[in-house]
Amino acid sequence: MSALLEVDDLHKHYRLRGRGWWGQRSVVRAVDGVTLRLERGEALGLVGESGCGKSTLARTLLGLETPDGGSIRFEGRSIDEVEPRWLQRRVQMVFQDPYTTLPPHMSIRRIIAEPLIIHGLAKGDELQRRVDALIADVGLPAAVADRRPRQLSGGQRQRVGIARALALEPSLLIADEAVSALDVSVQAQILNLLRELQERLGLALLFVSHDIGVVTHVSQRIAVMYLGKVVETGPALDVYADPLHPYTRVLMDSVPDPTRRGRDRMRARGDPPDPKDPPSGCAFHPRCPIAVDRCRDEVPLLEDWRPEQHAACHLALEPLDGADTNEVDRSAT
Amino acid sequence: MAWFLVRRTAQMFFVILCVVTLVFILLRAASGDPARLMNAADASDEVIEATRARLGLDEPVYVQYLYYLRNLLRGDMGQSFYGAYDVRDVVLAALPNTVALAVVTMLVSTVIALVLGIASALKRGSALDRAVQVYVAAAQATPNFWLAVLLVLVFAVQLGWLPAVDFTGPASFVLPVTTMAVALTPILIRTVRQSFIETLGEDYVRAARARGIPRRKVLLVHVLKVASLPLITLLGLQSAMVLAGSYVIEVIFNWPGIGKLAVDSLVSRNFPMVEGAVLVAAVAFVVINFVVDMTYSVLDPRIRLGAGT
Amino acid sequence: MSGGIVSDRTAASEAAGGDGVGLLQQLRQRKAGLVGLSGIAVLLIVAVAAPWLAPHDPASQDLGNVLLPPVWAGGELTYPFGTDAIGRDVLSRLIYGARSSVLISVCAMLLGGTLGVLTGLASGFYGRLVDTVLMRLGDIQLALPFILIAIVILGMMRDRSPIHLILVLGIPAWIVYARVVRSRVLSEREQAYVSAARSLGASNLRQMFRYVLPPASKVVPPIALIDLSHLVIMESTLSFLGFGLTSPSISWGQILADGRQNMIASPWLPVLPGLAIMLTVLTINLAVEGLRDDGTPRRRRRRSDRKAADADRAAAPARLPGREVSIDGGAGGDRDGDGDPRASADDVQGRDGDGDGDLGVRRNGGGGGQAQPLLAVEDLEVEFDTPTGVVEAVRGVSFTVERGRILGIVGESGSGKSVTSFAIMGLLGEQGHVTGGSITFDGTDLTRAPEAVMRGIRGPRIGMMFQNPVGSLNPVLTVGYQIVETLRVNRGMDRATARQVAEEAFGTVGFPDPRHVMRQYPFRLSGGQNQRVMIAMTMALGPDLLLADEPTTALDVTTQAEVIDQLLQVREEHGTGIVLISHDIGLIGEVADEVVVMYAGQVCERGPTETVLNDPGHPYTRALLGAVPQPGAPEAQLAAIPGELPSAQQPLVGCPFADRCDHVMEVCSRRDPALLPLAEDHDVACYLHHEPAAPEQVATR
């Protein structure tokens, strides 16, 4: 049987018209050749910083953006060939900001019923019964059904978003920064709920986030993106224990952690690159603490250096700890 | 920036062309046969034909239109129906009076709006703020022409302090300008107050205070520079209103401006004069809007340099 | 100004069952609207029913009674508003005048509104060519002096019927509606929930009619009413000038113009119709106000209510005196010695307590032998006025910061941590008030310091960094201008010196080309660069204390790491004391020397970072640590804290965390635990560690 989701060499480019003096046009390769595979019931974490293309990738998978190249296959069928409705019933999304993704003028009941009505899946009493069940499923009190979104807290709104996504009983749930707008204590509630739902319903989960801690917590496998490309992918625990790509390491080391007080960290140098004008060779090389001349000229390919653990780095097996990690060269911006 | 300027200038000329065309259609199409209007009711057909030929009215409409455009480019707006006046001379003589009235009104109103708007924004909920709110509500509801009548009644007729009609000197400005300022200030005050309140709530205002910049300096540099942007846009839009309002005021105060000229000419069916007056007013209008737009983009680097790319 | 700080709080309180409050608020707001709308209804009825209401025929002339004054000026009851120059009844004429003035305006509004809404929708729906053509047309129309054109068109007609006026007045109004509707449709279309609906499979039509139109259409009624008030004035202006309805129809403007002829003899003749117009417009504007959201904050809770709340607090005996113990331990004693003339009753009471002395000694010893901490915040209370009432943002917070040390304040949104830092700077804004406690910086009580003193402290003595680095720099001034201005104001430098110092400062925060950066506007720099500009600007003044309020929250992790490194470097080089405020307990744990954990405007635990993190005493601290995902242990459930923050608008009774705590005891919901020592330097406010003090104990202590 084929995998649930196969993404092969996906490209999504945006053409921007500069609004400067003469308005030069430029192209941003938001997703630049991404290959991914997701099995049924599996949780894949997609991690990267702002502008790395992770949200564009998620939106493309959902059919909200048209890819500029490559293919997306769902249950073995190319999404170019299937009906949008077929895909919508199988792939659903939980959005980042629970404050803006719920229509303010609808009741919670109506919001959760919408997908069922749109797809003609239930009517009348059956509809109400299913909505009530969904509200209970995501741990909301029944009383919220007749409220409006603005009467709910952020955590409750995000639960409504999850209930709405689950209404169509999808086999893949994409969570795009679904917890980043929430307070830590509420964030933990939502993460627990997502994991519980994933296990209970056998959902596949594509968890998109900038927070490598959150991602490794919920996912079995993770993929790290940098400037439109996947730079490392593998089982979450393996990647966390021993990252191959220096960027993954920098990302992990940048997360504040009281247990590592005062210890050396690997840091990226300078500012993130302009996506309109990406660096040559390995896109990370200007900021990479261990870069060599080769990195500037030659684009590294995603190769499997260890079983199941792939990285796009010429120096993947170099020991990262030995590098000069504490001295941040501030002159190189 | 250069490109922006070129584009906006082209846009302005296009709008002016549209205005010219519209005025032409309105007056030529709607006013019937000018040749018959110009002559006495019992004039013979020959006389009318002769007038028609003299004015080029025997040509097809589009040819007349082209003539009209050509004449305009030469600065020729035609002849008054009555008396041997060049429309251009009469209109250009009236224009400064209207402009003077409008400019004085704008200046006075802007100063009042800045003072009252900023004061009420800084002291939100105070007695002053409430008083300003009451003034805004009352002034907004007061019909301009009515106020003019009342002011004349009180200050010119009963008290005899100020001249009521005609332009006789600086004192003549007081009543018309007051009338127009009452119409103009409410929206200006509202805007200034609103944009000050909004800007005062911005992080960078607090941050400037946190860096030790004195409150007065924060207000005069940091807040004013941002908060005055909406006021400038609004002044542009309102300059239109002031011009339009001044036509009515000119009639009441017998002020020899464009508005009075247009209304008088309309009553006497002197269409070339109406045409000229409307045209000059409309072009003045368009030019003012253009200037305001330019000022705005110079003042706001976010527009000048293209933010959000 | 308070909006940003308390917005999450008010949202939470709204969620927490503020329904009743919201409804009341709405009713207050609707009252104006209701009066306005019923006024409009009355006007419409008068207009329609004019023939039955008017006591006389408006055209019938009573030549024996010309220019009769109104009743209040000695006129007759037959003609309550008097008569005009040819003996017509003014009241009847006014009633008939309402007919043309109001009905014509309403019809014109409906015509313009319909046209405008339709074209606006078409523009918003179809976009592209339709949009361009319609909007350009609108631009051109707006570039025309409308009233002059209207005068010209109407002036050329010999007979003017209502329909002419409706067309001339109504049609040009379309553009106002069209623009607003269009921009609302366009902005609603971009809303995240519309794109969410698309991902659910909603068709284009469904997106438009179910998702875009309902919120977009809300803008139409207020616009229509504003338009109506303009139309009423416009109509009367035209008829005043003699370009309105031709006789025998009557309108207010026309009555006014007639009356003007006799205004010297009978001033009421022009006054009355003018008043009618003015009242009509006022009524309409009142209705508009009712439809608008009024964001003016009110200090809603009356004085008596506050007293009641205070009494409640006093009834929980452990709280107030208990807090005073640990607070005054810090610095109170010293300050008494300085002769600080503070004389609030609470303070005196607290300081008189016998047990204070010991604690004071202990704290001073723990503070590294320094006689006076750089900053001592004591029992700080801050309230905000919001449109929905008073919010208690900070409810009794105390901590101290030493020179060269980093104090971390950790808490979730609404915990009051940011408000605390604004209170220190004296920048709470008009709606914020310090209602209790003190903030002592280097011997000065900032809550009582005059503005002149505060100005010398803000910047040169205490620097501050904000969460949103792009937003904390003025968007229309260059970065260079802003740093030079800061240096010149605070250090009295001339422009050239300031420029030089500024360039050096930018160099030290890692800008390779400081001159280039100086010329940039903030929006041309990235978030991380802006935050570095802020560090450079703040540190160029060499403050003793730096308040960093979520300085890295808006940044990417790798950038965050860099900014944090720079903060640490600042501390190394200048010995600056730093207050680092963050929601991220990991960040605080890594960087801070001491931690204060805040919840619902109170301190629930404080102490040395390592102690607090390794051995948290408060269940909230424990829960906060457990809620952070640990990548190493993916199978473990996160220790989510059930429920939400308590409302800041209700007076607290008991421990604020009681509702969400898994160790909650009966006493917790009755009394607020005091912040008491658990170990050396480690204080916790929780009954798990301290027996609640009985009321008599407090009294004797």
Side-chain angles (χ1 to χ4, degrees), chain C residues 11 13 96 106 173 204 277 308 325 350 389 403 485-486 504 515 520 551 568 576 581 623:
Chain C
S13 60
Y96 270 88
V106 168
N204 281 340
I277 300 167
V325 169
R403 286 183 175 77
E485 176 194 45
T486 307
E504 278 164 28
R515 273 160 196 262
Q520 299 303 310
L568 291 174
T576 315
I581 297 169

Side-chain angles (χ1 to χ4, degrees), chain C residues 56-75:
Chain C
H56 300 268
D57 181 343
S60 80
Q61 305 176 358
D62 180 354
L63 291 173
N65 281 315
V66 292
L67 294 176
L68 269 187
V71 245
W72 58 87

Side-chain angles (χ1 to χ4, degrees), chain A residues 60-74:
Chain A
T60 313
L61 295 180
L62 210 63
L64 290 175
E65 307 277 351
T66 341
D68 292 314
S71 69
I72 304 170
R73 300 175 77 78
F74 197 82

Side-chain angles (χ1 to χ4, degrees), chain B:
Chain B
M1 192 68 200
W3 177 231
F4 183 64
L5 200 78
V6 170
R7 219 177 48 208
R8 287 310 317 255
T9 314
Q11 244 173 43
M12 180 183 76
F13 280 109
F14 178 70
V15 172
I16 289 179
L17 182 70
C18 291
V19 169
V20 168
T21 312
L22 194 79
V23 170
F24 177 82
I25 293 170
L26 262 178
L27 286 158
R28 294 292 158 94
S31 62
D33 189 347
R36 204 168 282 282
L37 284 169
M38 276 179 77
N39 289 290
D42 55 352
S44 67
D45 285 355
E46 288 80 42
V47 175
I48 288 174
E49 264 327 299
T51 316
R52 215 170 253 166
R54 181 166 56 84
L55 295 174
L57 294 175
D58 48 353
E59 307 273 358
V61 175
Y62 72 93
V63 179
Q64 288 183 38
Y65 176 62
L66 290 177
Y67 276 136
Y68 175 69
L69 283 187
R70 190 197 59 191
N71 289 342
L72 271 186
L73 282 178
R74 289 182 183 157
D76 177 8
M77 291 176 171
Q79 292 281 313
S80 165
F81 280 177
Y82 313 110
Y85 301 116
D86 249 357
V87 169
R88 186 190 55 186
D89 297 342
V90 178
V91 169
L92 288 187
L95 186 64
N97 293 331
T98 299
V99 170
L101 193 56
V103 167
V104 174
T105 303
M106 300 277 281
L107 285 178
V108 169
S109 306
T110 309
V111 171
I112 293 175
L114 279 174
V115 171
L116 292 185
I118 294 174
S120 62
L122 292 180
K123 297 251 178 273
R124 255 208 291 179
S126 67
L128 173 79
D129 185 26
R130 278 199 298 274
V132 169
Q133 301 287 325
V134 169
Y135 164 74
V136 165
Q140 231 170 8
T142 310
N144 216 339
F145 57 91
W146 182 55
L147 183 67
V149 170
L150 290 186
L151 287 177
V152 168
L153 186 65
V154 174
F155 290 99
V157 177
Q158 299 201 333
L159 298 173
W161 290 353
L162 293 159
V165 290
D166 295 334
F167 180 75
T168 52
S172 300
F173 275 100
V174 177
L175 291 184
V177 167
T178 309
T179 313
M180 284 166 70
V182 168
L184 181 62
T185 42
I187 186 165
L188 295 185
I189 292 176
R190 271 192 124 127
T191 309
V192 171
R193 181 178 179 270
Q194 189 58 31
S195 73
F196 254 78
I197 287 173
E198 265 165 33
T199 313
L200 282 171
E202 295 282 355
D203 280 351
Y204 55 79
V205 172
R206 207 192 284 258
R209 298 283 311 279
R211 288 199 300 275
I213 316 280
R215 187 178 155 87
R216 179 185 295 267
K217 185 152 193 194
V218 171
L219 280 178
L220 289 181
V221 178
H222 291 256
V223 180
L224 194 61
K225 189 149 186 207
V226 178
S228 60
L229 293 175
L231 182 68
I232 290 168
T233 322
L234 188 74
L235 278 176
L237 290 172
Q238 290 302 309
S239 63
M241 205 217 79
V242 172
L243 274 178
S246 70
Y247 309 145
V248 179
I249 298 305
E250 283 172 14
V251 173
I252 297 173
F253 290 100
N254 207 20
W255 191 271
I258 294 278
K260 173 135 175 55
L261 180 69
V263 172
D264 286 351
S265 311
L266 195 63
V267 172
S268 63
R269 312 245 132 204
N270 188 354
F271 288 111
M273 204 61 96
V274 175
E275 207 169 63
V278 172
L279 198 64
V280 166
V283 170
F285 223 81
V286 176
V287 173
I288 290 174
N289 279 333
F290 171 77
V291 170
V292 168
D293 257 20
M294 289 287 106
T295 319
Y296 190 81
S297 65
V298 168
L299 284 180
D300 191 345
R302 287 169 294 187
I303 292 181
R304 181 161 29 112
L305 301 176
T309 43

